[in-house]
Amino acid sequence: MDQLAGRVAVVTGAASGIGRGMARAFAREGMRVVLADIEPSALELVRAELAATGAEALAVPSDVSKAESVEALAERAYQRFGAVHVLCNNAGVFSSGVTWEQTLEDWRWVLGVNLWGVVHGIRSFVPRMIASGEPGHVVSTASGAGLVSLAGTAGYNVSKHAVVTLSETMAQELAARGAAIRVSVLCPGPINTCITRSDRNRPSELGTSRDTRTDEKLREMLEHGMDPDQVGRIVVESIRCDRFYILTHEDLRTGVERRMRVILDDGDPAAGRRQKKRSGSEGF
Ligand code: NAI
């Protein structure tokens, strides 16, 4: 979709990090922006920031893990702007821990936001976007963790691999229908955001259970990560040129290549870990 000015974008997880970066980038393009997030006060700050630049922005506090909340978001967006052209299913949370130790609550939370949030976005918006007959683009945020399998973050990995295949599947279905809607899956490498503080949005009834070693390592890595505003610019460019796989870091390709090689060679994904264990330098 080449022309963005005057069109309408919906961004979930817009109150922080990558979502805020995308919202800012869309507003700079002259788009009208619907901002959704579970944190109303942070969301209002972003709305006010965009409004101060002259952009038209609507803030809708939402919980993407709940179908009725996302449906209400779609109703508000269409009520206010009459159309949606770009949908960014971006809200996400991070949860760490060894596969068999992650609690059922960890699994439910991370899959509820990261996977069901995307499913809800697609179910509430895509039929309306198809019915409008106007050009559209759906960008769902997966991760580098949706392309390879890193130890210590099973629930997160599962949710992100799911978003990749969901996007690949839907792109084919829309193309087969001749719909004017394109699809992208955003796979960021390390980005300097608040994702390691995801617990701030964890429902209190789910308690806490975190692998603090993984969290600490990740926090250090993300502090040196890409600026989320840069991701916003990359997404705008990718929508313009209909790029499906949006990889923010070149070295993610090396990981994909390595994984595919292991699969094609009938290899063992844990071989490297076994070697490190034998030499006494294992990680997790
Ligand atoms: P962030 O924590 O800065 O932003 C995430 C936003 O999602 C927050 O504003 C939060 O309030 C919102 N959110 C959380 N639960 C929600 C819910 N149930 N309903 C609605 N909103 C909710 O983190 P970041 O990094 O900007 O995360 C955005 C996406 O990028 C996530 O899907 C994350 O998994 C993904 N990602 C991030 C990477 C990074 O290095 N920061 C790398 C790869 C992927």
Side-chain angles (χ1 to χ4, degrees):
M1 191 189 334
D2 197 36
Q3 198 219 311
L4 297 180
R7 291 199 153 136
V8 181
V10 175
V11 182
T12 69
S16 173
I18 295 172
R20 183 173 55 197
M22 291 196 281
R24 284 174 175 160
F26 293 142
R28 269 196 306 273
E29 295 296 320
M31 295 187 84
R32 295 172 285 168
V33 191
V34 181
L35 310 159
D37 203 281
I38 203 165
E39 265 192 74
S41 50
L43 189 65
E44 175 50 28
L45 289 178
V46 178
R47 191 206 60 77
E49 176 199 312
L50 297 188
T53 68
E56 242 189 292
L58 169 70
V60 186
S62 316
D63 180 350
V64 298
S65 71
K66 299 199 161 64
E68 60 278 15
S69 180
V70 180
E71 185 57 23
L73 167 67
E75 274 161 24
R76 286 287 304 282
Y78 277 87
Q79 219 169 50
R80 170 74 178 267
F81 293 121
V84 169
H85 303 94
V86 173
L87 167 67
C88 296
N89 295 306
N90 167 77
V93 292
F94 176 75
S95 155
S96 57
V98 173
T99 306
W100 56 92
E101 288 173 359
Q102 287 210 279
T103 63
L104 283 179
E105 286 76 18
D106 290 337
W107 283 98
R108 287 191 183 116
W109 180 50
V110 78
L111 290 174
V113 180
N114 296 7
L115 171 57
W116 280 100
V118 177
V119 172
H120 294 150
I122 288 168
R123 286 178 50 82
S124 289
F125 284 91
V126 173
R128 289 169 159 112
M129 291 167 77
I130 293 173
S132 77
E134 292 188 43
H137 205 119
V138 179
V139 181
S140 298
T141 305
S143 169
L147 302 171
V148 298
S149 305
L150 299 176
T153 56
Y156 188 75
N157 296 352
V158 169
S159 72
K160 295 304 186 178
H161 275 257
V163 171
V164 172
T165 186
L166 188 57
S167 304
E168 290 170 343
T169 305
M170 190 171 71
Q172 296 176 66
E173 293 164 349
L174 287 167
R177 287 278 187 96
I181 300 170
R182 302 299 286 254
V183 178
S184 296
V185 62
L186 172 61
C187 297
I191 314 295
N192 189 4
T193 70
C194 297
I195 192 82
T196 53
R197 293 197 296 104
S198 289
D199 272 5
R200 70 196 190 278
N201 296 307
R202 183 171 168 132
S204 51
E205 65 271 20
L206 298 184
T208 53
S209 93
R210 308 296 302 267
D211 173 348
T212 47
R213 278 185 314 164
T214 309
D215 286 1
E216 203 39 55
K217 274 191 202 166
L218 188 69
R219 195 166 295 130
E220 274 171 29
M221 186 167 72
L222 297 195
E223 272 169 15
H224 302 102
M226 183 183 277
D227 182 335
D229 287 344
Q230 172 69 13
V231 183
R233 289 190 284 274
I234 292 172
V235 169
V236 162
E237 212 31 61
S238 302
I239 291 173
R240 282 200 195 290
C241 69
D242 288 334
R243 181 181 295 127
F244 181 86
Y245 295 103
I246 311 178
L247 274 56
T248 57
H249 293 65
E250 268 307 302
D251 57 2
L252 291 172
R253 293 177 203 283
T254 316
V256 173
E257 212 170 356
R258 199 179 299 134
R259 174 165 181 254
M260 291 305 151
R261 190 35 60 208
V262 172
I263 293 172
L264 294 172
D265 290 350
D266 196 15
D268 170 6
R273 298 270 171 182
R274 269 185 253 288
Q275 224 160 21
K276 278 189 189 155
K277 178 84 187 163
R278 274 197 299 272
S279 66
S281 64
E282 104 257 44
F284 296 108

